[in-house]
Amino acid sequence: MNDKESKLDHLLADLAASYARSAPPRDGLEKLKRRMQAETNTLSDADLEWLAAAGKALEIKGHKDE
C-alpha cells in the first residue's frame, strides 16, 4: 500500500469513528426509508433512454401520417 492509500484509509477510519460517536438524527431511519422508497420509484437511465427513443419514433410516425 502506498502513502496516499494509507492516508486515505486513516481518514476514512477517522470519519467512521466520528459517525459511530455521534447520535443518530431524530427520525433518521424513517427519513431514510422514505427516501429509499422515493428512489425506487424513479426510472433508470435505460428506461429514460427507451422512453426518449419511443417518443422520437412516435414523433417521426406522426409526421409521416400528415
Side-chain angles (χ1 to χ4, degrees), residues 48-60:
L48 292 173
E49 289 173 9
W50 182 89
L51 287 171
K56 287 180 185 176
L58 290 174
E59 185 178 289
I60 292 169

Side-chain angles (χ1 to χ4, degrees), residues 5-65:
E5 290 174 335
S6 178
K7 287 180 183 177
L8 180 59
D9 283 347
H10 181 71
L11 290 172
L12 289 173
D14 287 347
L15 181 61
S18 172
Y19 276 111
R21 285 189 304 270
S22 64
R26 208 164 98 160
D27 299 328
L29 183 57
E30 292 304 317
K31 289 177 184 177
L32 179 60
K33 286 180 182 178
R34 285 193 302 271
R35 183 173 177 192
M36 289 179 70
Q37 182 63 40
E39 290 292 326
T40 58
N41 290 334
T42 60
L43 295 173
S44 69
D45 288 344
D47 292 334
L48 292 173
E49 289 173 9
W50 182 89
L51 287 171
K56 287 180 185 176
L58 290 174
E59 185 178 289
I60 292 169
K61 181 181 178 192
H63 287 288
K64 287 182 182 177
D65 291 342

